[in-house]
mmCIF file of all heavy atoms in Angstrom:
data_model
loop_
_atom_site.group_PDB
_atom_site.id
_atom_site.type_symbol
_atom_site.label_atom_id
_atom_site.label_comp_id
_atom_site.label_asym_id
_atom_site.label_seq_id
_atom_site.Cartn_x
_atom_site.Cartn_y
_atom_site.Cartn_z
ATOM 1 N N ILE A 71 -0.547 12.467 -13.557
ATOM 2 C CA ILE A 71 -0.675 11.157 -14.302
ATOM 3 C C ILE A 71 0.014 10.967 -15.506
ATOM 4 O O ILE A 71 0.725 9.959 -15.901
ATOM 5 C CB ILE A 71 -2.271 10.858 -14.418
ATOM 6 C CG1 ILE A 71 -2.849 10.715 -13.066
ATOM 7 C CG2 ILE A 71 -2.485 9.707 -15.413
ATOM 8 C CD1 ILE A 71 -4.429 10.715 -13.141
ATOM 9 N N ASP A 94 -4.757 -1.859 -11.710
ATOM 10 C CA ASP A 94 -5.372 -1.628 -10.377
ATOM 11 C C ASP A 94 -4.297 -1.001 -9.440
ATOM 12 O O ASP A 94 -4.691 -0.070 -8.648
ATOM 13 C CB ASP A 94 -5.713 -2.959 -9.742
ATOM 14 C CG ASP A 94 -7.070 -3.459 -10.430
ATOM 15 O OD1 ASP A 94 -7.726 -2.734 -11.171
ATOM 16 O OD2 ASP A 94 -7.480 -4.634 -10.246
ATOM 17 N N LEU A 101 -4.520 7.315 -6.464
ATOM 18 C CA LEU A 101 -5.534 7.615 -5.348
ATOM 19 C C LEU A 101 -4.877 7.863 -4.005
ATOM 20 O O LEU A 101 -5.141 8.954 -3.410
ATOM 21 C CB LEU A 101 -6.566 6.346 -5.253
ATOM 22 C CG LEU A 101 -7.678 6.648 -4.278
ATOM 23 C CD1 LEU A 101 -8.615 7.740 -4.598
ATOM 24 C CD2 LEU A 101 -8.494 5.315 -4.065
ATOM 25 N N THR A 118 9.829 9.493 -7.252
ATOM 26 C CA THR A 118 10.381 8.429 -6.404
ATOM 27 C C THR A 118 9.283 8.040 -5.391
ATOM 28 O O THR A 118 9.097 6.907 -4.977
ATOM 29 C CB THR A 118 11.471 9.036 -5.571
ATOM 30 O OG1 THR A 118 12.480 9.368 -6.692
ATOM 31 C CG2 THR A 118 12.129 7.934 -4.818
ATOM 32 N N GLU A 175 12.201 -14.809 -29.938
ATOM 33 C CA GLU A 175 12.297 -15.923 -28.950
ATOM 34 C C GLU A 175 13.392 -15.465 -27.838
ATOM 35 O O GLU A 175 13.146 -15.707 -26.642
ATOM 36 C CB GLU A 175 12.868 -17.202 -29.601
ATOM 37 C CG GLU A 175 12.825 -18.422 -28.773
ATOM 38 C CD GLU A 175 13.405 -19.603 -29.474
ATOM 39 O OE1 GLU A 175 14.711 -19.699 -29.743
ATOM 40 O OE2 GLU A 175 12.586 -20.444 -29.729
ATOM 41 N N PRO A 188 13.843 -13.532 -8.232
ATOM 42 C CA PRO A 188 13.254 -13.439 -6.888
ATOM 43 C C PRO A 188 12.771 -12.042 -6.584
ATOM 44 O O PRO A 188 13.508 -11.066 -6.993
ATOM 45 C CB PRO A 188 14.498 -13.856 -6.021
ATOM 46 C CG PRO A 188 15.327 -14.655 -6.884
ATOM 47 C CD PRO A 188 15.194 -14.088 -8.265
ATOM 48 N N GLU A 199 17.763 -0.665 -13.028
ATOM 49 C CA GLU A 199 18.219 -1.021 -14.465
ATOM 50 C C GLU A 199 17.243 -0.581 -15.545
ATOM 51 O O GLU A 199 17.599 -0.236 -16.629
ATOM 52 C CB GLU A 199 18.623 -2.431 -14.564
ATOM 53 C CG GLU A 199 19.821 -2.876 -13.717
ATOM 54 C CD GLU A 199 21.222 -2.251 -14.271
ATOM 55 O OE1 GLU A 199 21.266 -1.021 -14.449
ATOM 56 O OE2 GLU A 199 22.008 -3.101 -14.661
ATOM 57 N N LEU A 203 16.476 4.677 -12.074
ATOM 58 C CA LEU A 203 16.690 5.390 -10.825
ATOM 59 C C LEU A 203 18.153 5.192 -10.338
ATOM 60 O O LEU A 203 18.847 4.207 -10.599
ATOM 61 C CB LEU A 203 15.772 4.843 -9.723
ATOM 62 C CG LEU A 203 14.409 5.592 -9.550
ATOM 63 C CD1 LEU A 203 13.549 5.360 -10.778
ATOM 64 C CD2 LEU A 203 13.649 4.932 -8.378
ATOM 65 N N TYR A 237 19.826 -20.928 -22.076
ATOM 66 C CA TYR A 237 19.178 -20.771 -23.402
ATOM 67 C C TYR A 237 20.200 -20.470 -24.454
ATOM 68 O O TYR A 237 20.240 -21.186 -25.500
ATOM 69 C CB TYR A 237 18.348 -19.627 -23.369
ATOM 70 C CG TYR A 237 17.724 -19.155 -24.764
ATOM 71 C CD1 TYR A 237 16.785 -19.870 -25.401
ATOM 72 C CD2 TYR A 237 18.297 -18.059 -25.449
ATOM 73 C CE1 TYR A 237 16.259 -19.593 -26.634
ATOM 74 C CE2 TYR A 237 17.803 -17.636 -26.607
ATOM 75 C CZ TYR A 237 16.790 -18.454 -27.274
ATOM 76 O OH TYR A 237 16.251 -18.049 -28.468
ATOM 77 N N HIS A 251 27.551 -30.725 -39.444
ATOM 78 C CA HIS A 251 26.835 -31.454 -40.456
ATOM 79 C C HIS A 251 26.847 -31.025 -41.953
ATOM 80 O O HIS A 251 26.480 -31.599 -42.769
ATOM 81 C CB HIS A 251 25.377 -31.613 -40.112
ATOM 82 C CG HIS A 251 25.096 -32.599 -38.919
ATOM 83 N ND1 HIS A 251 25.831 -32.521 -37.763
ATOM 84 C CD2 HIS A 251 24.300 -33.629 -38.800
ATOM 85 C CE1 HIS A 251 25.532 -33.474 -36.901
ATOM 86 N NE2 HIS A 251 24.481 -34.211 -37.508
#
Side-chain angles (χ1 to χ4, degrees):
Chain A
I71 288 167
D94 287 347
L101 179 65
T118 306
E175 188 180 73
E199 295 286 63
L203 268 64
Y237 171 77
H251 282 54

